[in-house]
Each structure stands twice: as structure tokens, then as C-alpha cells.
Amino acid sequence: GAGVSQTPSNKVTEKGKYVELRCDPISGHTALYWYRQSLGQGPEFLIYFQGTGAADDSGLPNDRFFAVRPEGSVSTLKIQRTERGDSAVYLCASSRVTGGFNEQFFGPGTRLTVL
Amino acid sequence: QKEVEQNSGPLSVPEGAIASLNCTYSDRGSQSFFWYRQYSGKSPELIMSIYSNGDKEDGRFTAQLNKASQYVSLLIRDSQPSDSATYLCAAIYNQGGKLIFGQGTELSVKP
């Protein structure tokens, strides 16, 4: 079946601009996760959704970052007033269940470059 | 702070050898562990999950978990050049959903 999809694959923007990154999870997966990965590092957790609600947003670095999942499927990560330090690969993952035994499957990522 | 630690490598092994990748974690509340493979420029791909002490085998891969020592490992038998990638260890803590990742170990398998 189809895996997690993310759009766009690449996004180049200027400092101070607003960006939206989209994630479409695996069909039937109720949980959706956002991570970001900088070069040479492991992915860093941002937020996860169980259904429509954010179950844990403790990884969002500041209030410029916001994510929604209004219908419990597709999610959008929104970044306001982008800064050069926001440049990274933003990864989305989904899992069939949440909790301690969930297996998360990643999409291809969106490479964000802030000039 | 909950941490997962890996040796960044690179780890170089000859083709056909056993590659051994190691990971330690700081919080005894962790309950589930995962190994992901990441090729350069690609996203992480789940290759193994392990929840109980002991070994779990899947093809050429064996994951080992020792909760008393807070240690997880991945063995790759009959290593192939196509196994050359970065291997990420990750843990879930206390019924939470988020994965805590190590920085990854780069593996190079030489023909």
C-alpha cells in the first residue's frame, strides 16, 4: 500500500516568510508525528497527534511553530517568521496505534532551506 | 534528560563479516526500542523493533536488548555493500508516543 507522503519535497524560502509543510499518513494510521533532522543528527521530535488532537507538542521549539490535523488524517506543519536556524529536513511519520509499542513509518521528508 | 547514545562511527567492516552496532539509553522508563536504517539523502526506514530482553532475529538482522544494562544492539550477518548506511537507534519512554533518537552510527561495508 501507499506509504507516508509529504509535500513539497523541497522548499526554499526567505527569512521572515511563512511556510506550510503537508503530511499525508498511511491509510488507517491514527497517530501522526512530526520530527526534524539536521545534518549528522538523529531526528528530533516536534509534535504528535492522536486523531485530531495534539497528544504531545513538547518538542515544538517556540510559538512560531504550529501544527494541525483537522480531520484526523492529513496534517500541516506551519512555521511563521522563518529563521535560518529552521533549515532542516522535516520528517513526518505515522503509526497504527500509539503508546509504547507503536512502530512509526516515515515519509520522504521536506527539505526546508531558509535563506 | 532522556538520552539515547550511539557511537557515530564510521564503522567499517569487510563484505561478509558481522557488523555490530551498539546503543545505550539513560532512562529505565524506556520500554520499546527500534532500529532504523537511513541511506544518504533518504528518510529513516524501520528495520527492527524489540520490546523484551533477549534476542530478536529477522533474516540477517538480530536485535539484542538488555534492560538491566540499558543496552541495545543490532547485529548484521553476512554484511553487504548495500548495508552501508547510517543506523539510528530509537526508544519510546513510558507509554508515550515520541521516539528519542541517537545520533546514528555510519556503517561502511567494503567489497
Side-chain angles (χ1 to χ4, degrees):
Chain A
V4 177
S5 62
Q6 292 186 247
T7 56
S9 55
N10 280 284
K11 176 70 177 178
V12 179
T13 190
E14 294 179 343
K15 180 176 178 296
K17 299 291 188 182
Y18 168 83
V19 297
E20 290 190 350
L21 312 179
R22 176 189 166 108
C23 173
D24 200 339
I26 293 171
S27 177
H29 280 196
T30 60
L32 184 148
Y33 310 79
W34 285 100
Y35 297 83
R36 71 177 176 181
Q37 187 175 26
S38 300
L39 194 64
Q41 302 297 317
E44 174 190 22
F45 170 78
L46 296 176
I47 184 172
Y48 93 87
F49 291 87
Q50 173 58 36
T52 59
D56 183 351
D57 64 357
S58 62
L60 295 177
N62 51 59
D63 61 6
R64 296 187 297 106
F65 289 75
F66 189 71
V68 295
R69 196 186 184 199
E71 297 179 356
S73 180
V74 171
S75 176
T76 304
L77 178 66
K78 308 180 181 193
I79 310 174
Q80 298 178 320
R81 305 183 305 279
T82 52
E83 299 178 356
R84 293 194 180 89
D86 299 334
S87 296
V89 175
Y90 287 80
L91 295 165
C92 177
S94 70
S95 66
R96 190 171 55 82
V97 295
T98 57
F101 304 103
N102 73 86
E103 292 184 333
Q104 298 180 23
F105 299 92
F106 283 84
T110 294
R111 181 176 298 277
L112 175 66
T113 303
V114 182
L115 300 177
Chain B
Q1 182 174 350
K2 300 175 178 62
E3 291 184 343
V4 175
E5 299 285 344
Q6 295 182 255
N7 194 327
S8 61
L11 173 66
S12 183
V13 301
E15 183 174 357
I18 296 175
S20 178
L21 302 158
N22 305 312
C23 170
T24 59
Y25 60 95
S26 62
D27 193 320
R28 291 189 177 274
S30 57
Q31 59 184 133
S32 307
F33 303 88
F34 305 87
W35 284 98
Y36 285 83
R37 177 175 63 197
Q38 188 171 30
Y39 292 113
S40 181
K42 302 296 186 183
S43 62
E45 173 192 8
L46 179 65
I47 54 172
M48 289 287 283
S49 57
I50 187 165
Y51 311 126
S52 305
N53 276 328
D55 295 359
K56 179 181 178 182
E57 185 175 320
D58 184 0
R60 295 187 296 112
F61 299 99
T62 299
Q64 299 175 318
L65 174 59
N66 184 326
K67 289 190 176 182
S69 300
Q70 297 178 234
Y71 180 89
V72 192
S73 65
L74 179 70
L75 301 178
I76 306 175
R77 289 180 299 281
D78 188 24
S79 296
Q80 301 298 309
S82 58
D83 294 326
S84 297
T86 295
Y87 289 79
L88 295 160
C89 175
I92 289 180
Y93 292 87
N94 292 330
Q95 299 292 333
K98 66 184 180 184
L99 289 170
I100 307 296
F101 282 88
Q103 68 183 73
T105 298
E106 182 184 353
L107 173 67
S108 177
V109 181
K110 303 295 187 185

